[in-house]
Amino acid sequence: MSATTRPGTGPDRPGTPSDDRPDPTASAATTHGAERTDRTTDAGAADRPTPAAVVGGLALVVALAALTRYLEQNVPVWTEGTSLGGVAKSVEFPVYAIALGLLGNAALLALNLRDRLAAAFRTELFIKTGVVLLGASVNLSLIVSAALPAIAQALLLITSVFLFTWWIGGRAGLDDKLRALLASAVSICGVSAAISAAGAVQAKREQLAYAASLVIVFALPSIFLLPWLAGLLGLSPAVTGAWIGGNIDTTAAVAAAGAIAGEDVLALATIVKSTQNALIGVVAIALTAYFAFKVERRSDAQAPGVGEIWRRFPKFVLGFLAASVIATVYLAQVGTDVGKPVIAVANDLRTLFFILAFVSIGLEFRAKALKDAGWRPVGVFAAATAFNLVAGLAFASVLFRGFELG
């Protein structure tokens, strides 16, 4: 094996982050390449989750979700008539779920069990299932009426926030691939966008892990901060929903903040966030072309086609729309008296999956990646988040002024 084709370097599979790391001794790679390959294979087999670990991790998530439901229903009863009674009534299930997830995270770290059970902490799967079920409670007329301002806000926010983050990342001297990950994450939809961008620009895995950690670190306080700020500023439910949906980076955190702010806010926030999510494929294709033809200047690069956009398109957005269409048609056919109990079952299932997702957010949180990578990217992400906060409020206030959520 030559030094230029050592394991872990060279072109990666399209759509996957690169594991490429600088190697100061090419001759060592030639001599010990086979040995490193064997060790990598053994490490990969050792890291593969066992069925028992997956079942154990899932049991933990379900147990914490059940405890979340129990606390949500009983804490207000226990504190009734005390000074904490008013606060307890206002605390929604996302608060309990995330807090219990973080406590579980700390316990698993102390027991050295988190990495073994982590395969069951499926935040993305849980939240996407919950969002699809949420569609059953969102009338199609709301989606249709919100489509134009939601699309306008998505285009304005993604463009302005992405360019600002790319610019300030350049001023801070960040690697172009990390700049692309951070800009995609903060301007579109957090971890999902970072994963798509990582595949498009062939980013290193540690860069993806770092970007994902930043997303979670900044999304957690946003869950509670934005509903509080919306109340403080006296924003309407429509503007609040548009601001939450356009500003908070992850779909799970948007759902959590929306649930705290109210059912109508949650519905519009999900529509706005889903609109941004739908543009992941377009941004990923643009990054693929930019890095291939401009940054890396590869002579063998080929322009990505429409099929690649579809491959990267978040399919759960279509599930959300389909659920809304089915529920709207169903209620029109059978009437609200017959249909509402059925929709209520879908709502209960949606809440269950949201709780599982919020618990998993806490369990998946990793602070070590932030410590290892230094503070310049943290400053870039913080500045981009602040810019997104202000720009998102401005766009939401203009585009959703007077919007009715009835």
Side-chain angles (χ1 to χ4, degrees), residues 68-396:
T68 295
R69 206 63 166 155
Y70 179 78
L71 292 175
E72 180 199 16
Q73 294 172 351
N74 288 281
V75 169
V77 177
W78 298 337
T79 58
E80 188 175 1
T82 70
S83 58
L84 298 176
V87 175
K89 286 183 179 180
S90 65
V91 175
E92 303 285 346
F93 66 83
V95 179
Y96 292 113
I98 293 171
L100 289 173
L102 290 171
L103 289 174
N105 188 331
L108 291 178
L109 277 175
L111 297 171
N112 200 27
L113 290 174
R114 187 180 67 179
D115 289 341
R116 290 174 57 187
L117 303 181
F121 307 154
R122 302 294 300 277
T123 302
E124 289 286 316
L125 174 64
F126 296 143
I127 199 63
K128 289 174 181 177
T129 305
V131 167
V132 171
L133 291 168
L134 174 62
S137 62
V138 179
N139 192 283
L140 184 61
S141 62
L142 176 59
I143 297 177
V144 172
S145 62
L148 187 59
I151 292 171
Q153 177 173 303
L155 292 173
L156 289 169
L157 265 182
I158 289 175
T159 302
S160 60
V161 176
F162 187 99
L163 292 176
F164 176 82
T165 310
W166 180 265
W167 170 76
I168 198 171
R171 298 279 296 190
L174 299 187
D175 174 79
D176 282 347
K177 293 180 179 181
L178 182 57
R179 290 167 71 192
L181 264 62
L182 296 181
S184 299
V186 75
S187 66
I188 309 175
C189 62
V191 176
S192 296
I195 291 172
S196 295
V201 306
Q202 299 294 288
K204 298 176 183 178
R205 292 189 183 278
E206 59 266 29
Q207 291 176 323
L208 176 57
Y210 184 67
S213 298
L214 275 176
V215 167
I216 296 173
V217 166
F218 280 83
L220 284 175
S222 299
I223 292 171
F224 312 104
L225 180 64
L226 263 67
W228 175 74
L229 284 175
L232 190 67
L233 296 172
L235 302 181
S236 68
V239 173
T240 300
W243 190 31
I244 288 174
N247 189 260
I248 299 180
D249 292 330
T250 72
T251 305
V254 167
I260 292 173
E263 191 76 11
D264 289 340
V265 172
L266 171 61
L268 186 60
T270 303
I271 292 170
V272 170
K273 178 53 65 178
S274 297
T275 304
Q276 287 188 195
N277 289 344
L279 296 173
I280 291 176
V282 177
V283 173
I285 293 302
L287 285 172
T288 300
Y290 180 77
F291 270 74
F293 294 113
K294 182 75 173 177
V295 177
E296 297 169 357
R297 300 180 184 276
R298 297 202 307 267
S299 59
D300 62 339
Q302 295 182 351
V306 176
E308 186 69 9
I309 295 179
W310 170 249
R311 189 179 71 80
R312 297 173 185 271
F313 183 85
K315 310 301 189 296
F316 77 94
V317 173
L318 299 180
F320 172 78
L321 293 173
S324 176
V325 171
I326 292 170
T328 301
V329 172
Y330 173 72
L331 287 174
Q333 293 292 323
V334 303
T336 55
D337 290 341
V338 175
K340 275 192 173 182
V342 177
I343 302 300
V345 173
N347 289 342
D348 289 340
L349 287 173
R350 174 245 295 177
T351 300
L352 170 62
F353 278 100
F354 278 175
I355 291 175
L356 293 173
F358 303 152
V359 167
S360 296
I361 287 177
L363 291 170
E364 285 187 316
F365 175 72
R366 295 174 183 270
K368 186 177 183 298
L370 304 182
K371 180 180 178 181
D372 291 345
W375 290 102
R376 276 188 305 166
V378 176
V380 169
F381 202 89
T385 299
F387 179 85
N388 192 21
L389 191 74
V390 175
L393 178 58
F395 292 143

Side-chain angles (χ1 to χ4, degrees), residues 26-65:
S27 59
T30 305
T31 305
H32 302 294
E35 180 182 345
R36 280 213 308 270
T37 301
D38 291 340
R39 286 203 303 268
T40 301
T41 302
D42 293 341
D47 291 340
R48 192 175 298 120
T50 64
V54 173
V55 171
L58 186 58
L60 174 63
V61 175
V62 172
L64 292 177

